[in-house]
Structures are given as structure tokens and as C-alpha cells.
Amino acid sequence: MIKFKNSITKKIHSLSPAQLIVSFYFIAVLIAVSLLSLPVARYEGVDWSFINALFTAVSAVSVTGLTVLNTVETFTVPGIFILAFVLQFGGVGVMAVGTFIWLLLGRKIGLKERRLMMIDQNQSNLSGIVKLIKQILVLILSIELLGSIILGTYFLSYYDTWQEAYFHGFFASVSATTNGGFDITGQSLIPFANDYFVQFIVMILITAGAIGFPVLVEVKEFIVNKNGRFRFSLFTKITSITFACLITFGALAIIILESNAYFKGMNWHESLFYALFQSVTTRSGGLATMDVSEFGISTLLVMCGLMFIGASPSSVGGGIRTTTFALNILFLFHFARGHKNIKIFGREIHEEDIIKSLVVLLLAILICSSAVIVLSVTEEFALIQILFEVCSAFGTTGLSTGITPDLSSIGKFIIICLMFIGRVGLLTFLFILESKQKPPNYRYPVERVIIG
Amino acid sequence: MIKFKNSITKKIHSLSPAQLIVSFYFIAVLIAVSLLSLPVARYEGVDWSFINALFTAVSAVSVTGLTVLNTVETFTVPGIFILAFVLQFGGVGVMAVGTFIWLLLGRKIGLKERRLMMIDQNQSNLSGIVKLIKQILVLILSIELLGSIILGTYFLSYYDTWQEAYFHGFFASVSATTNGGFDITGQSLIPFANDYFVQFIVMILITAGAIGFPVLVEVKEFIVNKNGRFRFSLFTKITSITFACLITFGALAIIILESNAYFKGMNWHESLFYALFQSVTTRSGGLATMDVSEFGISTLLVMCGLMFIGASPSSVGGGIRTTTFALNILFLFHFARGHKNIKIFGREIHEEDIIKSLVVLLLAILICSSAVIVLSVTEEFALIQILFEVCSAFGTTGLSTGITPDLSSIGKFIIICLMFIGRVGLLTFLFILESKQKPPNYRYPVERVIIG
Ligand SMILES: [K+]
Ligand SMILES: [K+]
């Protein structure tokens, strides 16, 4: 047993961080397919073809929530518990491995003073990652438990039996916190479209999952250590502010763009809650209080942009990530005016991080545009529907204008790839691309080129 | 008189290069509106409203070729000569001022060895720019004259009188070389859809205008100076190769994507010429041998990308420019693998040029997406039609799925702005943004941020 464990340890140590995260993802999908394929998990007569099984598994592991099958009509109660487990596994797993890689990177570049001060410095080994996963699990499970209790208790007025109420409360809490986006109501959160309390709780749970594990740890630390000397990391500041800005911008944009359309004749608080919830859910939540296909093209385009950006790194979300977006915007505004570096919050952004964020954005645009072009060949839907589906998959958001079940097999496969890439994160793939040998050290004469 | 001239010289010297090019553009539009508004230029009963006049003038000065009015039904023969003059003025003017600014930039950064060796070094004054404009005019006019003679003579078989033949030859040559994209056939080059000779000549003329003035000068120099020691500049190499790659990629993509649609049952040479011509025209030409709205969404998306990239800098085209695109792609492939600089053709790309090209691309994406979102509010068209119109305007290409005349006034105004920005080039606007005072010299501690 010890020998076996040592051999696994050795194996894991021989993997590069990027290989580690991709392997984890593959194994997780394999486990998910196997578990969800158990006969006890599904009702009879469901079209459980290979592509549908794979799609559902990847959607669950990547906590996207796009579905080719109606969840509540496909899975039995045991099946739904398995699904909740897979969401947990996928959400927390990639989150942990991702954070672990970042810590590794920190060691590699010899950065002594990590601002994530509360995370044990010595984690670049198996016991380290186990510890990290434990830390994350405790945090997330506590949040989910609290969410389950609050929602379950509240649902007592909605459902006939307490078992049903708490079952729904449990699944809604897990689906929200892991940003899973799956629903067992059969119609997302539409039944609670006028229940501001449920929406409020769900928005908090989505945010807790999507804002990033380091932020949660730092906030916990801030609350516990009241000595006043606590300083939030630059990461936490940037990602939280970007997060807040994106939600505010999204809500305002939706209110303005739909004021004469979907929101016509609605109360101000109804409009506000619809807009706010749909804005929050684009971070990566995927639950919705309405059928988004009823929005106009302009609103859907704004939501595409928001989903493409996605959630924080080291979170349960996907997309290019908030910090990538923030660094690109900062780059644009600083370098357009001829500055040579980015200063913010009394800190300077590392040049390598700026370059990485630019590469991630360009690569993401390239991948998503290619996907849109291919899908517009293989599918018969309108461009906005295809674009929305692509951004939703890449951002692992899980919102859809309703075309997911009708995608062709090629279409489903492309969406599967996008969910995979979006969840693992492009930065991980950059690690794989990065050549091991150092680039040649000779220089050529510099020559200028006319650009604009 | 001398005093007046001196005062103008002084005025021009006090302007920054960016102000110079924007002023030139504004004055050119003013002149174009005035000339085209002359009663002799138009037939009676044409809807010559302010927004239509402005749209036509900007479209002509920016050599875009988008039209809200049918050219041949709007303008009389004198009007068409005026239009040809405006195209000339707009095409060569911005080209000259743009090149001039680049030369200025070269002086500013103290770069002694300009590879554009044949352009007089001492041009950062009024006599310099006049000389430069003369040089460009001679080159472009020679090409146009040659084109007019070839096309006019060839058209003798198409038209009843020699006057008509040469009139059409003259306008087609000017419209192609300046990449004006206007037509007096009433249906672009569709009447010549099966005439490969006309298409071949027009493609050469479009390329001559769009490949950039420095390339033309260097090629001329290469042909004249046969001493074997001539070396093409890095700019010429990058822009020519990018140009060729884009045209090849575009033609192949169109052939593949339309093989089972528009090209079904066509000869291989018919398909090839349709694909090749439509690919060349996206560089910035704007003339078409078919109604592009008959293409599928995927083909139109590819064309959107090609138009967004546009032509070479210092040419008659628009868009982000070929070199900006090339530098972004090189950046992606080099920096994704962890390199610290870009080496190509035995030269190293200047860091500032990489940064500028990244800024231009990001800014262009931001501007075009915003335009698409606003237009999808104000207009009733499909997303693909709006996107196509936006890319066409920004790339000053002038292709359209046919929605231009039906745009709302706000829609027309947005397209006007895009043609303006696309033609002048975003780099020019960066010069305006660049703060005059040096950025503060103090440094902050560097802190890393999690990205992807
Ligand atoms: K999701
Ligand atoms: K054009």
C-alpha cells in the first residue's frame, strides 16, 4: 500500500503542472461518464448515446451546465446525487489544481513574498496539494451547507414534504456554489423569478464560487485577524473590483437595452432583479430567472462579452478570467498613452503577467471565432445563437438560447472542447506550449515597421 | 502671397502629425461635400439630405465605397468626374500624410538608417511633404493611366461608343487603384463576372493601391537598380507576405465553405475566380463580381475577419492593417512559447512596434464590438449583416450585404465614424492620446497576479 502510494507520488511529481491539470480533468470526465452511466442513475428510454454521455459528463465536470438532455427527466434521485457529486468534484478539483499550479509557478520564479500569505508556502508536493484541497473543500462545503439549510428551510413553503424542500435546497445550493448551472426544476430558476430572497441567496452563492478561492481565504483571514495590519493581495483587489465592475456594467446594460423591450411595463425592482441576476449569472453561474432567448440581440451580445470574460482564476468558473480582462484593459489605457509599465494600488504589474494576459486574450479570440465559423457551417442556427452558445461554453457559464439539444454531433463535440478549454484555462495550455529549451540568445538588428 | 504661404507653413508646422492627418481628412470631407453638392453634379429628385451627403463624401474621401445612393442614378457625368477626383484626393492624400508621419516618427526616434532608402530623408517640412505627395501622385497616376488605357481599349467590345468605353475604363481604373469601390455600372463588377481579363486587371490595380506606397517604391527601385545589392525593407517583406497569405487563405476558405453552396455545379475556374476576386477585394477594394449576400454565414464571417484586417499601412486601404495583424500573430506564436522577442528575416521587431500593434488590435476590437452592439439596437437587420457592414466600414472595404441605404440616421452616422477611424488609422489616434509629459519615473514594488 505504501509502495503503491509512493509510486503514485512519483508519477505525479514527474508530471508538469499543465499535464497534471489536464490529466486530472480527463480522469474526472472518465469517472463522471462511468458514474452517470450506471443504470440506477437514469430513467429508461433516455437517449444516452456516447456523445450525449460525454457532453453531460464534460458539462458537469467543467461545471458549465449546458445540457443536451433535460436533467430532471434524465436522472433519477440517485443520479441527481451523483451529478451533485460530480459538480463538487469538478468545481473544487480544477480550482485546487489550478491554485496549486500558481503556487508552483511562484516557486519557479523564486518569488519569496507571496501575498497569499495564509496558504502554506510548502505545497509543491503531494501532501501540499492534499492539504490545499482539504482547505478548499472545507470552505466550499461550509458555504454549500449554509446555502442548503437556508434554501431548504425557505423551500418548505414551496414544496409539500420537507424531504423535497431540502432536496431542492441542497441541489440548488450545490449547483449555485459550484456554478454548476444544472437545475432540477426543469426550467432553471424561472419558478423563482419573483422570489427575490431565493435570487439573493443564489447570487451570493454563485459569487462565492466564482470570485476565486484566494479571495475567500483572504476575506476569511481579514475577518478573523482583526489586528488591522492585514493587507489584501493585488490579485484579490484586481479580481474583486473587476468582478464588481462587470456585474454593475452588465446589470446597467441589460436594464438600458431592454427598457423598451423585455422590461416594458415592469416595476423598477422587477427589472432590476432580472437584470442583476442575469448579469451575475454570466460570471459563470448559468442559472437564469428567465428564458434569455427573449432578450434582444444587443443584450445577448453584451452577455456574450461578459461570459467570454468569465470568472476569477482559481475559481469554479471559466473564460479568459477577470484578471486577464483587467490586465488587458490596463495595458490598453496605460500603453496607448505611451507608458512603459502598469501601476495600480501602489504596485507594479509584472511584465510577464501582462504578456501572458495578452496572449490568453488573443488565443481565446482566435479559438472562439474559429468555433463560431465552424459551427455556422455545421449548424442551421442564427449567428447570435451560435455566438452565445460558444461564449457560454468557453466561459463555462451554461446559459443558452435553447439550441444545445439540437446541435449536430460535430457541434456537440466543438462545445465539449470549448467547455474543456474554458475550464482548464488557456494559461495551462501555454505551459504545455512553452518550449523547455531556452530560446536562442543571439540578437538580430532591430528594424522598425509601419503599423497602423 | 509669400506672406500667406509662410503663415500656412507656420500653421502646419505647429500641428502635431496626428492633428495634421485628422485636419487633412476633415478639410477633404468638407471639400468633397461642397463639390458633390454642386447642382451640376447631381440629377434632380435625388434624396441629397445632409446625412446622405456626408455619408457619400466620407465614403469617397475614405475610399470605402459604401453607398446610400446608387452612384450612377445620383451623379451626372460631371458629378462622376468629381467623384473620381475625390477618390484620388482621399486615396493619395491620406496615403501621403500617413507616410509623412511615419517618416516624422523615424526622425523622432532618431533612427538613422531608414530602409525606405529611396525616399528623401529630409521630408519633415512642407516642401518635403509636397515632394512626397508628388512622388506618390506620379506613381499612382501612372498606374491609373495604364489601367484606364487597358480597360478602356478592352471595353470597346462592351460599349457602343469609344467615349463610353474609355469613360467606363477610366472610372473602373480609378475606382480600383484608389480602392474606391464605387461603380458606375449600377451593380459593381457583376457584369464582368465571367470576364477573367477584366477581373485580372482590376485585381492587380486593387493590389497596387492596397499593398502600400513604400512597397511600390521599393519594387520600382528593385527593377531599376539591377546591381543586385538591393535589400527589401522588413516592412515590405512582412506586408507583402501577409498580403499574399491573406489572399490565399481567403480564396481557399471561400472555395471550401461555398463548394456545396454557391459554387455547386460550377467549373473549377469559375469557382476559383469568384473566390479569388472576392478574397482580393476584402483587402480594401470593395468591388465585387457577385452579390456577397448570397454567401453563407461562415463565408461572410471569414470575409469580416479579412476586411477587419484590411490593407497595408501607407496605402489607400483601412482596417487594423496587415502589419498590425502580422505582428499580433508573431507575438502570439513567439511569446506563447516564452520567447522574449520576435526574430524574423534576420531582424528583430522593435518592442514598441509590438506594443503599438497590440494596442491597435485591442482598440479596434473594442470599437467594432461597440459599434455592432449599438447598431443591433438601432437597426432591424440580422447580426451577420450588421457585423459585415461594420467590418466593411472599418476596413474601408465597401462591400455590403445590401443594408447600407436602409440604415437609420444613427446607423449611417456610426458607419461614417467607422470609415473615418478605419481610414485614418488607429495609430494616428494613439499619437493624440499619447500624453506630452513623460510618465512619472518612480517605481512601485512588482506583485504577481494569477491570470488564466
Ligand atoms: K456554469
Ligand atoms: K474600398
Side-chain angles (χ1 to χ4, degrees), chain B residues 145-436:
Chain B
L145 186 66
L146 201 68
S148 302
I149 294 171
I150 295 175
L151 288 176
T153 310
Y154 186 80
F155 282 169
L156 288 172
S157 64
Y158 271 93
Y159 296 95
D160 295 335
T161 64
W162 66 267
Q163 289 94 330
E164 240 186 312
Y166 281 101
F167 178 60
H168 275 265
F170 159 76
F171 193 83
S173 175
V174 170
S175 181
T177 311
T178 62
N179 279 229
F182 284 84
D183 63 86
I184 53 173
T185 63
Q187 43 179 336
S188 203
L189 285 190
I190 294 177
F192 307 105
N194 294 309
D195 191 324
Y196 299 159
F197 180 76
V198 170
Q199 290 179 47
F200 181 72
I201 297 294
V202 169
M203 282 195 275
I204 288 184
L205 294 177
I206 289 177
T207 304
I211 200 149
F213 168 65
V215 177
L216 296 183
V217 176
E218 287 188 36
V219 169
K220 195 189 95 187
E221 196 73 5
F222 176 72
I223 295 170
V224 174
N225 293 357
K226 294 200 169 173
N227 58 8
R229 292 188 55 232
F230 184 83
R231 183 186 159 271
F232 283 106
S233 69
L234 184 61
F235 167 73
T236 291
K237 286 177 186 161
I238 292 182
T239 199
S240 306
I241 289 177
T242 311
F243 211 93
C245 289
L246 289 173
I247 288 176
T248 313
F249 167 79
L252 284 178
I254 294 174
I255 285 182
I256 293 167
L257 293 173
E258 293 295 328
S259 60
N260 274 316
Y262 191 79
F263 295 156
K264 197 160 195 163
M266 260 190 211
N267 283 330
W268 67 265
H269 49 86
E270 259 188 295
S271 310
L272 179 70
F273 258 85
Y274 271 117
L276 194 61
F277 193 90
Q278 261 59 236
S279 177
V280 168
T281 209
T282 55
R283 285 281 57 66
S284 109
L287 292 164
T289 59
M290 54 166 294
D291 178 4
V292 289
S293 69
E294 289 189 41
F295 278 149
I297 292 182
S298 49
T299 312
L300 293 179
L301 284 174
V302 169
M303 289 176 80
C304 283
L306 293 171
M307 294 191 296
F308 177 77
I309 296 168
S312 301
S314 289
S315 77
V316 295
I320 59 167
R321 314 295 149 103
T322 48
T323 45
T324 304
F325 174 70
L327 259 56
N328 270 286
I329 294 292
L330 288 170
F331 168 80
L332 192 54
F333 282 90
H334 278 75
F335 285 71
R337 290 188 294 163
H339 296 186
K340 299 276 171 239
N341 48 51
I342 302 175
K343 296 195 186 80
I344 189 164
F345 299 123
R347 285 288 182 282
E348 193 176 305
I349 307 279
H350 196 288
E351 196 193 318
E352 203 182 298
D353 290 336
I354 304 174
I355 291 175
K356 285 251 152 81
S357 69
L358 286 162
V359 171
V360 166
L361 178 71
L362 293 184
L363 215 52
I365 292 174
L366 214 62
I367 290 171
C368 288
S369 335
S370 309
V372 168
I373 292 174
V374 175
L375 284 173
S376 68
V377 177
T378 61
E379 315 299 318
E380 294 279 305
F381 306 111
L383 179 58
I384 182 66
Q385 293 180 300
I386 290 172
L387 182 67
F388 197 86
E389 200 78 5
V390 164
C391 291
S392 177
F394 178 73
T396 68
T397 312
L399 294 173
S400 174
T401 56
I403 66 171
T404 326
D406 302 323
L407 288 170
S408 67
S409 290
I410 301 176
K412 284 176 188 166
F413 182 72
I414 289 170
I415 297 294
I416 288 174
C417 293
L418 286 172
M419 294 192 283
F420 176 82
I421 295 170
R423 182 70 184 110
V424 171
L426 280 171
L427 200 65
T428 307
F429 291 98
L430 291 188
F431 278 108
I432 299 179
L433 275 174
E434 216 160 75
S435 53
K436 257 148 211 162

Side-chain angles (χ1 to χ4, degrees), chain A residues 59 62-66 175 178-182 281 283-287 316-317 392 395-399:
Chain A
S59 181
S62 68
V63 287
T64 302
L66 284 171
S175 181
T178 63
N179 279 229
F182 284 85
T281 210
R283 287 280 58 65
S284 112
L287 293 163
V316 295
S392 176
T396 69
T397 311
L399 294 173

Side-chain angles (χ1 to χ4, degrees), chain A residues 52-208:
Chain A
N52 283 355
L54 187 67
F55 195 100
T56 308
V58 170
S59 181
V61 172
S62 68
V63 287
T64 302
L66 284 171
T67 48
V68 285
L69 302 165
N70 183 310
T71 306
V72 74
E73 289 169 10
T74 304
F75 297 108
T76 58
V77 171
I80 284 170
F81 273 107
I82 292 175
L83 189 63
F85 170 74
V86 172
L87 290 179
Q88 201 67 30
F89 191 68
V92 175
V94 178
M95 192 168 171
V97 180
T99 311
F100 175 66
I101 285 180
W102 188 61
L103 291 171
L104 268 190
L105 173 72
R107 285 176 72 88
K108 204 185 93 191
I109 58 174
L111 206 72
K112 284 284 172 343
E113 205 230 347
R114 316 281 344 210
R115 294 303 314 176
L116 291 170
M117 45 179 90
M118 62 297 311
I119 298 178
D120 189 352
Q121 295 298 304
N122 191 24
Q123 276 168 328
S124 59
N125 52 40
L126 193 59
S127 79
I129 197 168
V130 170
K131 215 164 153 188
L132 186 66
I133 291 175
K134 264 189 204 157
Q135 206 176 356
I136 294 180
L137 260 181
V138 168
L139 235 148
I140 296 292
L141 286 179
S142 316
I143 294 172
E144 282 173 346
L145 186 66
L146 200 67
S148 300
I149 294 172
I150 295 176
L151 287 177
T153 309
Y154 186 79
F155 281 170
L156 288 172
S157 64
Y158 272 92
Y159 296 95
D160 295 335
T161 65
W162 67 266
Q163 289 96 328
E164 241 186 313
Y166 280 100
F167 178 60
H168 276 265
F170 160 75
F171 193 83
S173 175
V174 170
S175 181
T177 310
T178 63
N179 279 229
F182 284 85
D183 63 87
I184 52 172
T185 63
Q187 42 179 337
S188 203
L189 284 190
I190 295 176
F192 307 105
N194 295 310
D195 192 323
Y196 299 157
F197 180 76
V198 171
Q199 291 180 47
F200 181 72
I201 297 294
V202 170
M203 282 195 276
I204 288 183
L205 294 177
I206 288 176
T207 303

Side-chain angles (χ1 to χ4, degrees), chain B residues 42-62:
Chain B
R42 277 166 303 109
Y43 292 117
E44 268 173 53
V46 172
D47 177 20
W48 194 249
S49 61
F50 173 71
I51 190 83
N52 283 357
L54 187 65
F55 194 100
T56 309
V58 170
S59 182
V61 171
S62 69

